Amino acid sequence: MPIDIGITDTDREKIAAGLARLLADTYTLYLKTHNYHWNVTGPMFQTLHLMFEAQYIELATAVDLIAERIRALGAHAPASYRAFAELSSIPEEGDSPDATTMIERLVHGQESVVRTARSLFPLIEQAADAPSADLLTQRMQVHEKTAWMLRSLLQ
């Protein structure tokens, strides 16, 4: 059935493509955060282990919300490591960093997600896509707050 929600097909496709990048960034950050949860060591182990767990659980919920918005717009949500690697602005690392480097990398990852979300606003506002704008606003609030909390650990 055709989708008739007051957003043109072209705009829905562009918004979905942007949300696919946001989904890829969010999933990549989820994987990185979960990895750090498992592998963190050092004097702040307990604090960081629990903090990273709370963060990856929140990210796991977020990927579902973003993917479901993509589907509501009539597009297929990317769902493979290959697709996420191609779409994500967050680099994958193959090393085992110390706790401070983990925190720094997570700050960069959180900020990357915010930049991706922010970049979608002009199109979403032009298309009057309030549900996508609401989703982006919520995601940006979470990621900006998380980046601030992580940065605070480095001072």
Side-chain angles (χ1 to χ4, degrees):
M1 281 184 70
I3 296 174
D4 185 14
I5 59 173
I7 302 172
T8 67
D9 292 348
T10 301
D11 283 348
R12 282 189 300 100
E13 289 170 12
K14 289 178 184 176
I15 293 167
L19 290 174
R21 291 193 320 275
L22 182 66
L23 178 62
D25 278 357
T26 304
Y27 197 84
T28 302
L29 184 58
Y30 160 80
L31 287 174
K32 184 176 292 204
T33 306
H34 210 151
N35 169 23
Y36 292 170
H37 163 77
W38 289 329
N39 293 301
V40 68
T41 59
M44 290 185 58
F45 168 80
Q46 185 67 18
T47 299
L48 293 176
H49 183 74
L50 294 174
M51 177 184 269
F52 295 163
E53 180 177 29
Q55 290 172 6
Y56 80 71
I57 289 170
E58 194 284 328
L59 288 162
T61 301
V63 296
D64 197 51
L65 295 171
I66 298 164
E68 287 176 354
R69 182 64 192 150
I70 292 168
R71 294 297 297 134
L73 291 169
H76 286 278
S80 70
Y81 293 125
R82 180 178 304 151
F84 291 147
E86 291 171 2
L87 292 167
S88 182
S89 66
I90 299 173
E92 183 179 4
E93 293 101 10
D95 59 351
S96 298
D98 62 21
T100 300
T101 303
M102 287 178 178
I103 296 166
E104 290 169 349
R105 288 179 181 176
L106 290 177
V107 168
H108 293 301
Q110 295 287 339
E111 290 173 343
S112 291
V113 175
V114 171
R115 287 190 305 274
T116 298
R118 193 176 307 280
S119 73
L120 301 176
F121 266 102
L123 173 61
I124 286 170
E125 288 175 349
Q126 178 259 317
D129 182 1
S132 292
D134 183 53
L135 175 64
L136 292 178
T137 300
Q138 290 178 41
R139 297 309 315 144
M140 288 170 52
Q141 288 174 336
V142 168
H143 292 288
E144 287 176 358
K145 182 177 180 179
T146 303
W148 157 63
M149 290 181 164
L150 288 165
R151 273 193 307 274
S152 295
L153 293 169
L154 300 171
Q155 297 175 347

